[in-house]
Amino acid sequence: MGDAAEEKETVIVTGFGPFKSHDVNASWSAVKELERLGLDDKYNLVVAEIPVEYDTVNDIIPKMWRSHKPHLVVHVGVSGIARNLTLEQCAHNDGITMEDVKGRVPLTHCCIEGSPKKLTSELQMNVICDKVNRCGCGVTSVVSHDPGRYLCNYIFYKSLDIDPSRTAFIHVPILGNPYTAEELAIGLKMSVMQMLEQLS
């Protein structure tokens, strides 16, 4: 039985902890529900709640890639303006000026000094978006090329820098606007499964 578990490909899905007015972060609520739903039996799902802290992202993300050697990494964050699952295609290196929950900002105001202004996921988000919207799961999705300049963009850039071929980011709306955590999890699951289909 142990051998079978070891042969499974690992999928990492992260959500964020509380920040500002988000005492309950919809991203982590949705990811916890996704953990309850599970993925296909072929995959080992690993979930993690990430504090809204630049230093913690700097520390945790490379460690997660090294220790799990994931087949796919999907970061999830909340957007106060989103009304759909928002599949982010790229992340930006500059303009990182907003303080994290500890009041800190990267000294260089960028994700990685000396790196490209933009990194793009090699996953085709337009294809994934179309399949999610046609699957009848009850959640609609859209594609975005601007994940903002806060921790969502920051964590996405960090993972894209490690491996753009198997990194994704999804913004979810705040809970109840219009979806529940359970509904968001269904949309997340469908999105992740479509990403895995692309990778196969």
Side-chain angles (χ1 to χ4, degrees):
M1 294 293 287
D3 289 344
E6 286 167 19
E7 288 170 10
K8 287 185 178 183
E9 290 173 324
T10 296
V11 176
I12 295 174
V13 183
T14 72
F16 277 112
F19 74 105
K20 296 183 179 178
S21 62
H22 298 274
D23 296 329
V24 175
N25 194 314
S27 68
W28 180 234
S29 298
V31 171
K32 283 192 295 184
E33 284 297 321
L34 175 63
E35 182 182 32
R36 189 180 62 79
L37 280 178
L39 298 175
D40 190 294
D41 286 342
K42 292 187 294 185
Y43 301 102
N44 173 38
L45 175 62
V46 174
V47 304
E49 181 182 16
I50 309 294
V52 182
E53 302 168 8
Y54 295 109
D55 288 345
T56 302
V57 169
N58 291 340
D59 181 52
I60 286 178
I61 297 310
K63 285 180 179 175
M64 291 185 80
W65 279 91
R66 282 196 304 269
S67 61
H68 293 290
K69 297 177 174 57
H71 185 60
L72 173 67
V73 172
V74 182
H75 300 299
V76 184
V78 65
S79 165
I81 61 172
R83 297 295 178 270
N84 308 284
L85 276 188
T86 305
L87 307 174
E88 301 291 350
Q89 187 66 68
C90 56
H92 302 275
N93 195 17
D94 59 354
I96 313 299
T97 59
M98 290 178 62
E99 293 182 351
D100 66 12
V101 294
K102 289 191 171 178
R104 294 176 180 161
V105 176
L107 290 175
T108 58
H109 300 302
C110 62
C111 300
I112 301 175
E113 193 171 10
S115 289
K117 288 190 70 172
K118 181 174 78 173
L119 292 178
T120 301
S121 174
E122 293 172 19
L123 292 162
Q124 297 175 296
M125 296 303 174
N126 58 331
V127 174
I128 294 161
C129 178
D130 184 55
K131 289 186 175 180
V132 170
N133 289 336
R134 287 193 288 111
C135 76
C137 68
V139 176
T140 57
S141 67
V142 295
V143 176
S144 163
H145 293 265
D146 185 6
R149 292 296 190 280
Y150 197 38
L151 264 295
C152 291
N153 175 79
Y154 193 79
I155 198 171
F156 189 24
Y157 193 98
K158 290 285 183 175
S159 277
L160 285 170
D161 183 64
I162 294 169
D163 190 344
S165 71
R166 55 190 73 251
T167 294
F169 191 97
I170 301 175
H171 267 119
V172 297
I174 59 175
L175 295 179
N177 199 18
Y179 302 113
T180 64
E182 293 84 356
E183 289 168 329
L184 289 174
I186 292 168
L188 286 179
K189 179 174 181 175
M190 184 58 59
S191 301
V192 170
M193 295 309 297
Q194 292 302 327
M195 290 170 189
L196 289 167
E197 186 176 300
Q198 265 191 34
L199 287 172
S200 67

